[in-house]
Amino acid sequence: MLEVMDLHVNYGGIAALRGINLTIKENQIVTLIGANGAGKSSTLRAIMGLVKKSKGQVLYKGEDISNLPTKDIVAKGITMVPEGRRVFANLTVEENLLLGAYTRSDHKAIARDMEKVYSTFPRLKERSWQKAGTLSGGEQQMLAVGRALMSSPQILMMDEPSLGLAPLLVKEVFEIILLLREQGNTILLVEQNAKKALEIADYGYVLETGQLVLEGPGKALLADAKVQEAYLGAAR
Amino acid sequence: MGNLSLFLQHLTNGISLGSLYALIAIGYTMVYGILRLINFAHGDIFMLGVYLTYFGILYTAIPWWLMFIIGPALTGVVGLLLERVAYKPLRDSPRITILISAIGASFLLQNLGIVLFGGRPRAFPVPHILNHVVKVRGVSINVITFIIPVVTILLLIGLNYFITKTKTGMAMRALSRDYETASLMGIDINRIISVTFFMGSFLAAVGGIMWGARYPQLMPLMGVMPGLKSFIAAVVGGIGNIAGAVAGGFLLGLGEIMLVALLPRLTGYRDAFAFVVLIIILLFKPAGLMGSTQTEKV
């Protein structure tokens, strides 16, 4: 469904990504793990067109979307939940959700999806008239995910959704990701919490300083000695 | 004429001048809210608005009332083009670069005005219907003094509706908060910026026309002082905040008129008043009257 080929990104002459290849199949959860600065976020941002690719291609359903502006990529059905939630604090919860549906014009379908988001996250419905800035961190994360879902995405990319959340909420976030997959979504998940991510992932990639060093089914990576040592904190 | 009616006359004059400052200040504050740029050419856009309307009335068959709409619309397009030419190519440059570009654009428009329109003052053709004195309870007031606040309030209501209720208005508020996330929503950032410049310039031109109707002398440098004072109004109110710009505009307009009325000996310091207010506000409330220091919850 989404194919990334030989992706390179430079920041002011410093290579952040050096030839990344990813394949994301429909209705899968694919995860990208790695240490801080390995290039996980850069990969997502390059796919979305937020940073310039110095080389490489992104194919979506066989179509080259490498050089499209972000707004067109969103309109095609790829959405990203940015790191740190980034809800519009000065807008209400409802307005945040409506903005998620900015590229759509079918009001009936938007209203239907709004109800769906509210039933997945009842807390948001209770607070629909509140400014998003007044929500707790967990609620803001739900809003960020709900907002992304409002674009009716084919592929949902999430950048560190569990970052900075209390353990109970982390668990909830991963349950939500599983639920989204059950509802038919395709998910590309970037996580520092490698164990949790690999547990739910169909397929995983391990990034190290801008390069892929390992890939395989989630369960297989979870059992891999090198992964255990480097990312899961297992003793030698 | 009693003291009260004299006071009422000053009050209406102050509200009227304040309305004009408010209309111009909105353009400064909207552009700042989205681009974090002080558009120094805004006062000159105001000047262009008056001239465009002036030439339209004098040299075309278009009736004046229609020109009062076409003029601002044309000015809006000029504002939009100004952004495309002078600011957009510099959007990724350091903020100081784009600021200098704004100052350059301001000088360019002023001098272009002198070359094209001539430095000699021209008289704005004020329609009689807007320019006659009526007596209300012994207070004699020019009708334009009434019309200005009414038009201003109608425009403010429209603007408020646009910002709070429409999709584009919502996108504007989102953009003022977070560019990158706004683009992740599929918002066309260039379009929203263009709309912002169009609206700011449109409002400034409407202010300019009413300014011309009230003080019917057109000069290529006529935008400098009102532009500067409206910028101060926007800062005093809290730059980036539309309600603040309006409040700042009324505060400055009323204050200036009252200063002249109540302390006639200080008439010569009329233009200094705005700067004194600015200094006081910056000393005691640097974010402006309605400016907020934003806090974020994690």
Side-chain angles (χ1 to χ4, degrees), chain B residues 119-219:
Chain B
R120 201 164 36 83
R122 292 167 186 261
F124 193 77
V126 190
H128 176 71
I129 191 168
L130 303 180
N131 188 29
H132 59 274
V133 175
V134 289
K135 276 205 169 218
V136 187
R137 297 190 175 205
V139 188
S140 49
I141 289 173
N142 196 326
V143 275
I144 186 70
T145 318
F146 281 120
I147 293 171
I148 290 173
V150 172
V151 170
T152 303
I153 287 166
L154 290 177
L155 286 172
L156 289 178
I157 292 171
L159 179 70
N160 183 57
Y161 177 84
F162 175 81
I163 301 260
T164 55
K165 295 283 187 284
T166 68
K167 203 167 152 178
T168 307
M170 210 157 71
M172 226 176 232
R173 281 182 290 148
L175 202 59
S176 74
R177 184 76 190 191
D178 185 341
Y179 254 64
E180 192 173 281
T181 310
S183 71
L184 281 176
M185 301 296 111
I187 293 170
D188 183 345
I189 289 177
N190 290 330
R191 193 181 77 87
I192 302 293
I193 291 175
S194 289
V195 171
T196 306
F197 270 85
F198 179 88
M199 290 178 64
S201 306
F202 184 95
L203 294 177
V206 174
I209 291 171
M210 296 197 290
W211 187 285
R214 193 148 194 278
Y215 314 100
Q217 201 184 39
L218 272 61
M219 284 179 290

Side-chain angles (χ1 to χ4, degrees), chain A residues 163-177:
Chain A
L163 194 73
L165 295 183
L168 210 63
L169 287 170
V170 172
K171 199 169 154 251
E172 201 174 327
V173 164
F174 282 97
E175 275 163 10
I176 287 164
I177 296 171

Side-chain angles (χ1 to χ4, degrees), chain A residues 43-163:
Chain A
T43 308
L44 295 196
R45 294 163 58 80
I47 294 172
M48 288 310 297
L50 291 175
V51 295
K52 250 203 174 111
K53 309 162 192 66
S54 43
K55 204 181 151 196
Q57 262 194 328
V58 180
L59 298 184
Y60 172 62
K61 293 179 175 169
E63 184 193 350
D64 186 356
I65 59 164
S66 316
N67 297 314
L68 289 183
T70 306
K71 67 180 171 68
D72 293 346
I73 296 175
V74 174
K76 285 203 178 294
I78 306 178
T79 300
M80 174 172 140
V81 182
E83 182 180 344
R85 329 190 226 294
R86 307 269 286 266
V87 297
F88 299 110
N90 54 338
L91 270 61
T92 65
V93 168
E94 183 131 330
E95 286 172 334
N96 267 275
L97 292 175
L98 284 173
L99 271 178
Y102 189 80
T103 53
R104 304 168 64 192
S105 47
D106 181 352
H107 294 287
K108 269 188 196 154
I110 292 173
R112 209 165 46 233
D113 283 352
M114 184 88 95
E115 276 316 304
K116 211 168 113 188
V117 168
Y118 279 151
S119 68
T120 315
F121 307 109
R123 290 278 280 286
L124 295 183
K125 183 156 194 172
E126 287 164 29
R127 290 160 194 258
S128 63
W129 291 103
Q130 250 171 270
K131 292 259 194 268
T134 65
L135 300 183
S136 72
E139 289 164 344
Q140 289 191 9
Q141 186 63 61
M142 291 175 193
L143 179 56
V145 173
R147 186 180 61 180
L149 290 174
M150 288 302 291
S151 70
S152 186
Q154 309 272 327
I155 297 181
L156 183 63
M157 307 202 294
M158 298 169 123
D159 195 355
E160 307 274 11
S162 74
L163 194 73

